[in-house]
Amino acid sequence: MLSVVIPSFNEEPNIQNTANVISGILDGNSIDFELIFADDGSRDGTWKEIMLAHEKDPRVLGLRFSRNFGKESAIWAGLEAAKGDCAVVMDCDLQHPPKVIPEMYKLWQNGAEVVEGKKSSRGKESGIYKAFSKLFYKLIASASGIDMANTSDFKLLDRKVIDAILSMQERTTFFRALSGWVGFRSETITYDVEERAFGERKWTPKMLIKYAIKNLMAFTSIPLYISGFLGGIISIASVVLFILRWCGVGLGSFGGSQILLLLTGGLILICLSIIGRYLAQIYEEIKHRPKYIISDSIKSQGGQND
Ligand code: UDP
Ligand code: MG
């Protein structure tokens, strides 16, 4: 059986359509499946729509978070609930085209353990957003050695891979990178990003920046080395300045000591903030809080429990 995990946040207008389109395609290809909507604390009628979809088709299942825990947690919860021999993770707005799922499934049947969905085009995105995501993936790639340019959360994973990912203890999970990090035999399919079916994009720029910083830090300690590197440059610069002065080279109105003092102060603050951010993240990790809290769920037996 194939589990389809769909993180959903305020997706009321999408649920029925998404459930219908996906089940139509999978039925048409005789693929046995379950659809798991992970309602990430939506404030609109998303949960009601999921319950309705379940009434129409018992293969539609759902989890409801007690509040918004973020897409990563929704994916994680969906994978934990998945009973399939493999699972596809995809967005609720059909920007990840469901028509390629049968193709991914076929690759899995032929032995692939991970089938990566790679964007052939990024769809309609602003220039700033494109530049920002390019920089982000470049940094992640240089830090972790995993090339993630144009990757997305649209993937099919074999049961072995799902179990390997779920065995990870860390709190801050970055699904896109973890599914590459665990290894396994992987194939790629390319897809064109579709237009969002209904509703608005759920990410605000602030959410995206926080998401990028958090995941970069979860994957790399390079910022800690940067502080050392900056410290090195400052030290060398001050030695050079000292030598220049000693040799009697006039520094004009440079006011060397004041400027150096200011610069050093600023850089110390930057370094402190980097260390502070790591400390904050370590603190988050050692709290060992659950990644999410479920308030309702619709399970495969048709039972609904709180
Ligand atoms: N999403 C979520 N929790 C959030 C934000 C988004 O589960 O806090 C889901 C959303 O419902 C959608 C997917 O993540 O299924 C991608 O969100 P969106 O379409 O807004 O982002 P984009 O396609 O622009 O990356
Ligand atoms: Mg989208």
Side-chain angles (χ1 to χ4, degrees):
M1 183 180 64
L2 165 72
S3 303
V4 184
V5 171
I6 310 168
S8 315
F9 177 51
N10 293 343
E11 300 283 9
E12 179 177 355
N14 278 311
I15 302 290
Q16 302 306 328
N17 179 51
T18 298
N20 290 340
V21 171
I22 298 175
S23 40
I25 290 172
L26 295 180
D27 279 335
N29 285 275
S30 316
I31 299 172
D32 183 24
F33 70 92
E34 61 177 3
L35 293 190
I36 304 171
F37 284 99
D39 177 356
D40 185 11
S42 300
R43 290 179 280 270
D44 62 359
T46 299
W47 184 246
K48 228 174 66 207
E49 291 294 324
I50 296 172
M51 288 200 293
L52 198 73
H54 172 71
E55 273 166 34
K56 287 194 217 154
D57 184 346
R59 295 173 298 179
V60 175
L61 311 173
L63 302 165
R64 185 190 200 182
F65 286 180
S66 58
R67 64 166 171 84
N68 182 243
F69 279 90
K71 185 181 178 187
E72 292 291 330
S73 297
I75 292 175
W76 199 273
L79 288 176
E80 281 186 331
K83 299 267 189 305
D85 306 304
C86 60
V88 164
V89 175
M90 63 184 293
D91 286 358
C92 191
D93 53 11
L94 298 186
Q95 285 197 286
H96 297 154
K99 60 173 188 274
V100 305
I101 300 178
E103 206 181 313
M104 294 171 115
Y105 191 76
K106 209 163 269 160
L107 285 170
W108 172 73
Q109 285 178 317
N110 290 336
E113 290 162 318
V114 177
V115 184
E116 300 266 357
K118 208 164 181 163
K119 299 171 188 171
S120 58
S121 69
R122 296 193 62 100
K124 273 197 184 158
E125 276 175 356
S126 70
I128 293 180
Y129 184 83
K130 270 187 194 159
F132 178 73
S133 68
K134 206 167 160 186
L135 172 72
F136 172 65
Y137 287 125
K138 243 199 171 118
L139 286 173
I140 287 259
S142 63
S144 63
I146 304 170
D147 176 21
M148 297 208 309
N150 288 337
T151 57
S152 64
D153 291 328
F154 187 31
K155 292 177 200 296
L156 180 145
L157 307 174
D158 181 73
R159 170 52 53 194
K160 267 193 278 184
V161 184
I162 300 171
D163 291 341
I165 291 176
L166 293 179
S167 72
M168 306 223 181
Q169 299 289 312
E170 64 213 65
R171 302 284 104 191
T172 312
T173 49
F174 185 33
F175 175 67
R176 215 170 289 190
L178 281 183
S179 53
W181 186 89
V182 291
F184 293 99
R185 249 172 308 147
S186 122
E187 295 272 356
T188 306
I189 56 135
T190 49
Y191 68 93
D192 288 315
V193 179
E194 300 287 331
E195 292 265 324
R196 178 171 247 283
F198 299 103
E200 299 272 299
R201 177 155 214 244
K202 307 296 172 243
W203 297 89
T204 59
K206 191 176 151 202
M207 274 163 89
L208 275 175
I209 290 169
K210 268 173 88 174
Y211 183 76
I213 292 179
K214 197 166 141 184
N215 288 314
L216 262 178
M217 281 176 42
F219 253 80
T220 170
S221 305
I222 282 182
L224 282 177
Y225 301 122
I226 293 174
S227 60
F229 180 69
L230 288 177
I233 289 182
I234 295 271
S235 317
I236 293 169
S238 50
V239 170
V240 169
L241 276 175
F242 175 76
I243 293 173
L244 286 177
R245 251 175 203 278
W246 194 58
C247 294
V249 178
L251 293 174
S253 58
F254 182 62
S257 51
Q258 294 101 312
I259 292 178
L260 213 63
L261 210 69
L262 211 67
L263 195 68
T264 316
L267 286 167
I268 288 174
L269 281 178
I270 294 172
C271 298
L272 277 179
S273 90
I274 293 173
I275 294 169
R277 285 198 157 271
Y278 272 92
L279 273 180
Q281 192 136 333
I282 292 168
Y283 181 53
E284 281 305 313
E285 293 285 337
I286 61 165
K287 278 195 275 193
H288 274 278
R289 291 212 178 132
K291 288 193 189 68
Y292 56 86
I293 297 166
I294 303 255
S295 69
D296 293 286
S297 65
I298 307 169
K299 300 220 171 95
S300 45
Q301 299 81 5
Q304 191 185 327
N305 22 22
D306 290 66

